[in-house]
Amino acid sequence: MTDITPNDARKASNNATTEAVKRSLARRNRKQLVLQGFGIGAIVIAFTVLFILVASLVRTGYTAFVQTHVTLDVYIDPAEISEEGLPRGGFRDVLTAAVLDNLPGADPEEDARGVRNILSNGAQFQLRDQIVEDPSLIGQTITLTVPLSDPFDQLNKGGVRRDTPEDQRRVDNQEMAWFDALDEAGIISTPFNIGLFTNADSRFPELAGLKGALVGSFWALLTCFLIAFPIGIGAAIYLEEFAPKNRLSDFIEVNINNLAAVPSVVFGLLALAVFIGWFGLPRSAPFVGGLTLALMTMPTIIIATRAALKAVPPSIREAALGVGASKHQVVFQHVLPLAMPGILTGTIIGLAQALGETAPLLLIGMNAFITSAPTSPFDAATALPTQIFIWADSPERGFTSRTSAAILVLLGFLVMMNGIAIYLRNKFERRW
Amino acid sequence: MNDMRLTERNMTDHKIKMQARGVDVFYGHDQAIKNVDVDIEDNTVTAFIGPSGCGKSTFLRCLNRMNDTIDVCRVTGDIRLDDEDIYDPQVDPVQLRAKVGMVFQKPNPFPKSIYDNVAYGPKIHGLATNKAELDEIVEKSLRRAAIWDEAKDRLDQPGTGLSGGQQQRLCIARAVATNPEVLLMDEPCSALDPIATAQVEELIDELRERFSVVIVTHSMQQAARVSQKTAFFHLGELVEYGETSQIFTNPQDTRTESYITGRIG
Amino acid sequence: MTLAPFVILLLAALVGYAINLRAARAIRYGGSRLHSLQGFHGLFSLLLVIVPVLTLILVWLAVEGGIINRILLSSLPDGVLDGLGSGAIQLIGAEIRSIAGGRVFGTPEDWKLEAAERLITYREISSWLLVGVVGAVSLGLIYFARSRVAAEFRARQRVETITLGLMVFCAVVAIFTTIGIIAALTFETIKFFQLVPITEFLFGTNWEPQIPIREDQIAAEGAFGAVPVFLGTIVIATVALFIAVPIGLLTAIYLNEFAPGRLRKIVKPVLEILAGVPTVVYGFFAILVVAPALRQFGESLGLDVASNTALAAGGVMGIMLIPFISSFADDALSAVPRSLRDGALALGATRGEMMLNVLFPAAIPGIVGGVLLAVSRAIGETMIVVMAAGLIAKMTINPLDSVTAVTVQIVTLLIGDTAFDNPKTLAAFALGMMLFIATLVINVFALRIVRKYREIYD
Ligand SMILES: Nc1ncnc2c1ncn2[C@@H]1O[C@H](COP(=O)(O)OP(=O)(O)O)[C@@H](O)[C@H]1O
Ligand SMILES: [Mg+2]
């Protein structure tokens, strides 16, 4: 290398590069920090929303998990309630009298109407049922714990605030004084709200429970599982292991991928027109709901099953084929068992989605007002998400907190199902 | 093997551009490089040879801190560029990589136009103040990578549309466009056909005028053809380092000899 | 009683299995070599019984209701159905059914009570008939299966043929579902367009689907111009995407390149949780928190914000879509080959430059596919808009106004009683058709883009 000049020129331009980089470096790093900042900001927003969502649900919903009750000594006055006239007995008056006993300040005549409203409308039926069970109670004094009506329940839980002006408060001053008197007498209690899980829906928030919805969702999910699981697995095995690569199997694939993205409300239209309109299946029935959900869940199960089958290494198939097993035997005796954990995981996740699905159930009428739990999958019923929808539409304060509580129950189920899926995945996941 | 060019190699001593002392590299708990010392000279093509998996790429990637991008990778020891510790916390890898460019085994043009591929480096580093300057840099780099004639009429077409050999020369153009001082090449010809390989090899010899070139290669013929210095790696160790002619004609270490004569590898 | 046929079927299948198994075993002990393992002879019988008989039961149950209904209606005394529309006749049928189910409201006419009695009888006859038929067919099939058992009978091949057929059937269910959707929507939509001109529906700007109250009004006088409904969906979806796309993409960019491993391990599951929250929950969140907050915020600015604005519904929908977009974009970014990242970094790009100039542009096709799928979700999303958007269709693009959406109209038109000859009901199917077509086109397009993209970087 005798020519020195190009080398020197090169040094200079190298230095120019170094200088340029140095000059711009701080600015470029700042730019990158800004990008990172935006990214963190986006994540913070997502987290904040999730936090607000959960916090607002818990804040409005936790009160629905307890219910204000009053414990009364009730004299079953034979003058009001007789064995012959049981269905028409004056259960309400008997209870009102029992409350009045604890309110020395109240006038039994004038205030009876107001005092009566302290108790839930369901209290009289509770008393009636008890006496129908054991008519010998007539004439005796029994101790009974009954729920309070929604305004008083809310007053006790803080949902009705004492510092709001009387004319904007659902409980007037007189009623507040009565409640305080009962409270002072030590007969007000706030136990866990079993009714939330053992009652069906009701027009009275303090009596409304999720039993109907839970049973309805159970039937619907069971139907969905019994249909979607075998059909989904069958379809997946065929497409993954047996289907020749031809137009038909391509067409089926495209179909499945598209079905997975069809809006759920369209499945509702399908169910309404075909299952109810053409086949004459009953409206509002969990069976029809389950059928609809099965059609929606099937693509999920098929896709998960195919992925699980694909994950089984070819060496297993070759080994089995090598000892003379038929293709069917290889698939059903070797591949399928190995793929089962993955299939189950996908199925559970699909069922969890189905559990939260609302729109198609609305269209087939699973948002009816039904005050008893279904006894079969063909009875009219609601489901957990549609019950949430119904309650969210009801203006009473008590229903707001019950809506949140129902959502918390629903989310609880979803967390549980996803937890099981994750557990299965971790426990049986094999690295080949 | 007994290429005539071997003997007529220019043997002048060059300034030491990069210096590595006691370099160890770990991937998690596995040690991939063990206590390597090397001097890379300026205006010289240095070849790294050795059996596959012996750590050539790993060591090469230490020289521009590309290993920083691998989470599990840890580098210790001392590596200097012009007597400046490149692993010093003060040194920004961005700055280092502007000076130490790299060409990869598989051609990896960005899915952009040929022009934008080459202009990308100068643009981000702010090496051109206006479009004319940028055009000039792009043309110069493409010429330097011996692909100007093929590319000049299709500068706005995607770089991914070129043939493999052209793509690799485009990547070389892209690397030289930022005017680096050292150019690292990791098996740049392994994905190319013999004709493209010959073109790239010719190019490497020309690049030596302006850069210090380090090339990892699988092929000993290639090392013999293009390099002045050769380092033989084996199982993460630097077994032997010296003039290419000497390594190929008179290896000091038996392992080197076995490799060159085809008994290991 | 519904269960009885199923129980019989199960028993028959097991009996058939056992019989064939024993027969095959007897042949083997008799010294002959069986062509197929004895278990396959059993399975042959099992499948031969289950498949046809189960089909029979299901078909029977599916058509039973309709046939009984028809017989019942024709058995009603002359004259009671005269001059009634099909909706009214349906109502009478429903009333008789509910009487038969033991739910008597008020004092129904005697002929209804009698009809209910008859209905109960018909149902009983039908179920006994079914039990009889199931029993007979099962016996026949068991006998037939038994008669095939022989040393050289290829039971395994038969069993495999049957299972293969079953699997093909399962796979074809997906096609049937699509056909069902298209058929249902097409039939009802055609009926709708016989009542309301298609041009009015597609181009009319007045949507007031209330059915006429007075008898003499003709149905088409309810206004069915769907343009404001489409517009509402577009406004809400646009708001949603304005929120979801930037937040989702930035999240993906950060997670993909910058987030430390531990943060990534926390954020990804949280996003999955967000994605798994049912939309009815988001809908309640919109009315419980977001709408009041927007209203208050608007008041503090002196703006009058409706309580069911497009902003609240679209905003919450945007939140719902964030995880969808971010996971799609994350996957698309991860699919870009490492060599491109390395190439950019080796040139001295900062990681930010590498992301914005190389990775992101290279991932754009995949990301666009994901965003398109999000668009299709946004226009098909139902619960959030049903709960948080309005019912009145307005020609407005102001997101602070209350607007309605296609899905909202579908649900409100169909909640409550539905008779299939009333334009209100049919309008819902016409809207459903539009929704189906729009989402289908977007999905097909998006899935194709995504697949192409995967192929580029195999
Ligand atoms: N990203 C990585 N993570 C873990 N180990 C790696 C990684 N890259 C390379 N290695 C290991 O380091 C050793 C050297 O690899 P490499 O430098 O690629 O070898 P060469 O380029 O000489 O073929 C090998 O044993 C390889 O398995
Ligand atoms: Mg290598």
Side-chain angles (χ1 to χ4, degrees):
Chain A
M1 283 283 143
T2 43
D3 47 346
I4 298 299
T5 0
N7 245 351
D8 280 353
R10 171 190 141 217
K11 286 275 139 57
S13 81
N14 276 342
N15 282 340
T17 304
T18 314
E19 285 309 308
V21 173
K22 260 199 192 121
R23 261 199 318 276
S24 64
L25 203 53
R27 181 177 47 81
R28 292 165 61 192
N29 281 337
R30 253 200 320 278
K31 255 192 182 162
Q32 171 172 327
L33 279 182
V34 170
L35 179 64
Q36 278 176 292
F38 274 122
I40 294 176
I43 290 175
V44 167
I45 290 176
F47 270 62
T48 312
V49 170
L50 186 64
F51 176 78
I52 295 176
L53 175 72
V54 173
S56 60
L57 289 176
V58 171
R59 195 177 59 83
T60 53
Y62 80 98
T63 56
F65 287 99
V66 293
Q67 181 72 46
T68 314
H69 284 70
V70 61
T71 307
L72 297 169
D73 291 324
V74 186
Y75 172 57
I76 317 288
D77 189 349
E80 295 276 4
I81 299 166
S82 61
E83 205 166 334
E84 304 81 56
L86 258 187
R88 277 179 296 280
F91 300 100
R92 204 158 182 187
D93 297 334
V94 169
L95 284 166
T96 310
V99 179
L100 280 167
D101 286 345
N102 290 291
L103 298 174
D107 182 291
E109 297 297 318
E110 258 175 43
D111 294 333
R113 183 172 275 279
V115 167
R116 178 198 277 192
N117 287 336
I118 297 178
L119 296 186
S120 158
N121 193 46
Q124 47 180 328
F125 301 113
Q126 193 182 332
L127 178 62
R128 187 192 64 189
D129 292 349
Q130 201 166 343
I131 294 174
V132 169
E133 188 110 315
D134 180 9
S136 70
L137 292 177
I138 295 173
Q140 298 185 14
T141 298
I142 60 172
T143 308
L144 197 63
T145 302
V146 295
L148 293 192
S149 67
D150 186 48
F152 292 89
D153 183 37
Q154 294 299 329
L155 178 69
N156 183 34
K157 294 178 191 168
V160 170
R161 301 185 52 128
R162 287 164 184 268
D163 48 14
T164 31
E166 188 179 7
D167 53 348
Q168 292 167 24
R169 206 186 316 121
R170 284 170 65 210
V171 184
D172 65 24
N173 287 342
Q174 172 70 77
E175 290 172 327
M176 224 155 76
W178 287 337
F179 175 81
D180 290 339
L182 294 178
D183 203 8
E184 230 142 81
I187 55 178
I188 298 285
S189 59
T190 321
F192 179 71
N193 184 6
I194 303 170
L196 184 63
F197 299 96
T198 56
N199 293 349
D201 200 6
S202 162
R203 295 215 187 281
F204 303 98
E206 73 274 11
L207 295 178
L210 288 171
K211 185 176 174 195
L214 289 172
V215 177
S217 269
F218 170 77
W219 285 124
L221 273 199
L222 186 69
T223 311
C224 170
F225 172 77
L226 288 180
I227 294 171
F229 187 68
I231 296 189
I233 291 186
I237 294 179
Y238 175 71
L239 291 175
E240 193 61 40
E241 305 280 345
F242 293 99
K245 278 271 150 271
N246 60 17
R247 288 262 174 95
L248 179 69
S249 52
D250 273 359
F251 183 61
I252 296 176
E253 282 225 47
V254 172
N255 247 295
I256 290 170
N257 287 335
N258 280 319
L259 274 185
V262 168
S264 60
V265 71
V266 172
F267 282 94
L269 290 172
L270 165 78
L272 183 59
V274 176
F275 298 153
I276 296 179
W278 299 351
F279 290 165
L281 291 175
R283 270 181 80 81
S284 309
F287 175 75
V288 181
L291 213 56
T292 317
L293 295 177
L295 296 182
M296 302 176 55
T297 313
M298 219 148 26
T300 314
I301 295 182
I302 294 177
I303 292 167
T305 304
R306 295 188 65 177
L309 290 173
K310 243 186 220 133
V312 177
S315 60
I316 303 252
R317 281 165 241 255
E318 283 153 17
L321 283 172
V323 298
S326 75
K327 176 110 192 170
H328 276 75
Q329 287 167 318
V330 173
V331 171
F332 286 97
Q333 294 169 0
H334 297 278
V335 178
L336 195 57
L338 289 174
M340 221 35 175
I343 297 174
L344 286 180
T345 308
T347 305
I348 295 173
I349 289 173
L351 288 178
Q353 280 169 10
L355 178 60
E357 202 52 72
T358 322
L361 302 187
L362 290 185
L363 295 198
I364 60 162
M366 287 191 75
N367 60 332
F369 175 71
I370 295 154
T371 52
S372 61
T375 52
S376 87
F378 299 95
D379 291 347
T382 58
L384 210 39
T386 48
Q387 190 70 60
I388 290 168
F389 176 69
I390 300 168
W391 284 355
D393 244 8
S394 313
E396 286 93 341
R397 187 87 216 202
F399 276 122
T400 305
S401 75
R402 269 177 157 67
T403 311
S404 297
I407 288 178
L408 291 175
V409 171
L410 174 63
L411 292 181
F413 276 110
L414 293 182
V415 167
M416 203 172 73
M417 292 170 80
N418 282 302
I420 294 174
I422 291 170
Y423 172 80
L424 272 178
R425 181 161 55 194
N426 291 343
K427 177 152 177 165
F428 293 104
E429 188 175 56
R430 254 179 260 210
R431 297 243 156 260
W432 302 99
Chain B
M1 180 113 311
N2 283 330
D3 195 312
M4 284 302 292
R5 288 163 64 189
L6 259 184
T7 46
E8 59 182 32
R9 276 276 147 68
N10 177 336
M11 297 293 180
T12 2
D13 273 346
H14 293 288
K15 174 175 156 271
I16 291 174
K17 190 70 190 171
M18 295 194 79
Q19 190 178 49
R21 289 292 174 268
V23 174
D24 291 312
V25 183
F26 302 85
Y27 289 111
H29 293 292
D30 303 327
Q31 186 161 9
I33 291 291
K34 293 170 197 144
N35 194 23
V36 167
D37 300 344
V38 159
D39 292 332
I40 311 282
E41 291 176 11
D42 210 353
N43 298 94
T44 305
V45 177
T46 307
F48 290 175
I49 60 170
S52 151
C54 65
K56 307 178 296 286
S57 302
T58 302
F59 184 71
L60 190 75
R61 292 163 63 93
C62 292
L63 299 180
N64 69 344
R65 291 183 59 175
M66 278 306 282
N67 283 330
D68 290 18
T69 63
I70 299 172
D71 287 338
V72 293
C73 187
R74 199 159 45 82
V75 179
T76 61
D78 189 57
I79 303 179
R80 292 175 175 275
L81 171 68
D82 289 335
D83 241 18
E84 195 186 350
D85 182 2
I86 64 170
Y87 279 89
D88 189 293
Q90 300 292 318
V91 172
D92 193 318
V94 168
Q95 208 173 344
L96 171 71
R97 290 173 196 149
K99 288 198 237 176
V100 183
M102 187 162 191
V103 175
F104 297 83
Q105 183 168 355
K106 222 179 114 209
N108 57 352
F110 301 139
K112 301 170 185 275
S113 71
I114 294 177
Y115 182 94
D116 286 339
N117 261 286
V118 182
Y120 182 63
K123 251 191 215 157
I124 55 172
H125 294 306
L127 300 184
T129 48
N130 55 41
K131 177 86 168 87
E133 266 183 56
L134 197 58
D135 288 347
E136 195 191 318
I137 295 179
V138 170
E139 179 176 344
K140 215 166 62 186
S141 310
L142 287 169
R143 279 188 191 286
R144 208 170 271 168
I147 190 182
W148 172 250
D149 292 333
E150 288 143 277
K152 64 172 182 256
D153 296 327
R154 46 195 292 198
L155 287 179
D156 53 350
Q157 285 171 30
T160 41
L162 297 170
S163 75
Q166 290 173 326
Q167 286 191 10
Q168 193 62 303
R169 278 179 286 149
L170 174 63
C171 291
I172 294 174
R174 187 175 71 185
V176 299
T178 56
N179 229 328
E181 301 172 21
V182 181
L183 194 56
L184 309 178
M185 305 178 126
D186 191 350
E187 305 198 25
C189 301
S190 68
L192 306 184
D193 58 60
I195 296 175
T197 302
Q199 286 170 329
V200 171
E201 281 180 8
E202 204 168 311
L203 177 59
I204 291 170
D205 202 48
E206 284 161 21
L207 290 173
R208 174 163 69 99
E209 282 187 20
R210 317 190 106 254
F211 311 102
S212 161
V213 179
V214 186
I215 175 171
V216 169
T217 170
H218 218 71
S219 129
M220 280 164 299
Q221 287 85 344
Q222 184 170 61
R225 283 195 297 266
V226 301
S227 71
Q228 289 80 53
K229 291 272 198 170
T230 295
F232 172 65
F233 285 80
H234 188 235
L235 297 177
E237 288 176 58
L238 177 62
V239 173
E240 192 164 350
Y241 177 52
E243 298 288 337
T244 300
S245 49
Q246 174 253 314
I247 295 263
F248 277 85
T249 51
N250 184 18
Q252 305 295 302
D253 194 289
T254 50
R255 286 171 293 180
T256 317
E257 190 179 347
S258 312
Y259 182 68
I260 288 170
T261 53
R263 263 174 281 149
I264 55 174
Chain C
M1 205 52 218
T2 350
L3 278 183
F6 291 99
V7 174
I8 294 174
L9 166 63
L10 193 69
L11 283 178
L14 292 177
V15 168
Y17 179 82
I19 289 178
N20 268 22
L21 192 69
R22 285 188 49 161
R25 195 176 290 161
I27 293 177
R28 214 187 76 195
Y29 290 161
S32 314
R33 238 185 113 256
L34 281 173
H35 177 276
S36 299
L37 292 178
Q38 43 193 337
F40 284 111
H41 289 271
L43 275 179
F44 174 67
S45 177
L46 186 95
L47 288 172
L48 203 61
V49 173
I50 284 189
V51 176
V53 177
L54 188 63
T55 317
L56 173 81
I57 297 178
L58 293 180
V59 170
W60 187 294
L61 292 179
V63 300
E64 175 191 57
I67 292 176
I68 290 185
N69 202 30
R70 203 153 300 160
I71 298 177
L72 184 71
L73 288 178
S74 64
S75 79
L76 291 180
D78 292 339
V80 293
L81 296 181
D82 284 355
L84 291 180
S86 72
I89 294 178
Q90 266 187 19
L91 271 185
I92 289 176
E95 195 184 346
I96 295 174
R97 275 195 293 279
S98 77
I99 296 171
R103 296 182 299 275
V104 185
F105 301 103
T107 45
E109 294 91 330
D110 279 344
W111 59 267
K112 283 185 185 164
L113 292 177
E114 280 162 18
E117 297 271 312
R118 271 202 305 282
L119 176 61
I120 294 173
T121 328
Y122 292 156
R123 280 185 182 161
E124 252 169 35
I125 293 174
S126 169
S127 28
W128 280 113
L129 217 57
L130 177 60
V131 167
V133 172
V134 165
V137 174
S138 301
L139 281 181
L141 289 168
I142 291 174
Y143 179 76
F144 175 71
R146 170 66 189 83
S147 72
R148 302 302 305 273
V149 180
E152 69 281 9
F153 178 55
R154 298 169 171 255
R156 182 171 65 75
Q157 278 82 342
R158 291 303 163 88
V159 166
E160 292 184 351
T161 311
I162 297 176
T163 36
L164 190 64
L166 284 177
M167 289 190 294
V168 172
F169 168 76
C170 293
V172 171
V173 167
I175 296 184
F176 284 147
T177 309
T178 309
I179 293 176
I181 290 177
I182 294 174
L185 293 178
T186 311
F187 273 113
E188 311 297 339
T189 305
I190 288 176
K191 278 200 236 162
F192 176 69
F193 287 140
Q194 283 163 357
L195 297 172
V196 177
I198 184 166
T199 44
E200 183 196 332
F201 177 75
L202 286 182
F203 306 112
T205 56
N206 185 17
W207 178 265
E208 277 166 15
Q210 293 81 0
I211 24 169
I213 314 279
R214 293 194 320 276
E215 288 286 318
D216 54 331
Q217 263 180 310
I218 48 165
E221 275 182 3
F224 288 101
V227 171
V229 183
F230 299 146
L231 194 63
T233 288
I234 293 173
V235 170
I236 293 175
T238 309
V239 172
L241 291 170
F242 259 102
I243 290 179
V245 171
I247 296 185
L249 291 187
L250 285 169
T251 304
I253 286 177
Y254 184 75
L255 284 184
N256 195 272
E257 181 56 37
F258 301 107
R262 246 180 306 140
L263 185 64
R264 201 179 144 88
K265 275 211 184 89
I266 300 170
V267 174
K268 287 219 104 183
V270 170
L271 288 176
E272 272 172 37
I273 294 177
L274 265 179
V277 173
T279 54
V280 66
V281 177
Y282 281 115
F284 185 62
F285 180 58
I287 46 181
L288 181 73
V289 178
V290 179
L294 279 179
R295 205 186 162 80
Q296 264 186 5
F297 183 68
E299 259 166 30
S300 71
L301 294 180
L303 283 173
D304 188 24
V305 182
S307 67
N308 41 17
T309 58
L311 202 56
V316 172
M317 195 190 283
I319 292 163
M320 177 201 88
L321 291 174
I322 291 174
F324 189 76
I325 290 189
S326 78
S327 85
F328 237 98
D330 194 11
D331 289 349
L333 287 172
S334 300
V336 177
R338 212 190 147 80
S339 66
L340 286 187
R341 290 172 41 108
D342 284 353
L345 290 176
L347 283 178
T350 63
R351 289 199 292 160
E353 288 161 345
M354 180 263 295
M355 172 53 79
L356 290 183
N357 306 336
V358 178
L359 243 53
F360 192 77
I364 284 265
I367 291 173
V368 167
V371 171
L372 278 181
L373 287 179
V375 170
S376 124
R377 279 206 159 190
I379 62 180
E381 169 47 41
T382 308
M383 290 321 293
I384 295 177
V385 279
V386 166
M387 295 169 85
L391 289 178
I392 313 289
K394 271 192 225 164
M395 283 295 281
T396 174
I397 54 166
N398 176 5
L400 293 182
D401 226 332
S402 149
V403 299
T404 190
V406 175
T407 48
V408 178
Q409 292 303 319
I410 294 177
V411 170
T412 40
L413 289 173
L414 290 181
I415 275 191
D417 280 325
T418 42
F420 281 95
D421 54 358
N422 149 355
K424 204 176 82 153
T425 311
L426 297 175
F429 283 90
L431 287 176
M433 188 71 162
M434 304 308 294
L435 182 64
F436 179 71
I437 293 175
T439 51
L440 186 72
V441 169
I442 298 177
N443 290 339
V444 170
F445 196 55
L447 288 174
R448 188 161 296 174
I449 291 183
V450 171
R451 188 187 292 181
K452 277 248 173 69
Y453 173 71
R454 290 212 185 106
E455 278 164 7
I456 296 178
Y457 299 127
D458 46 20

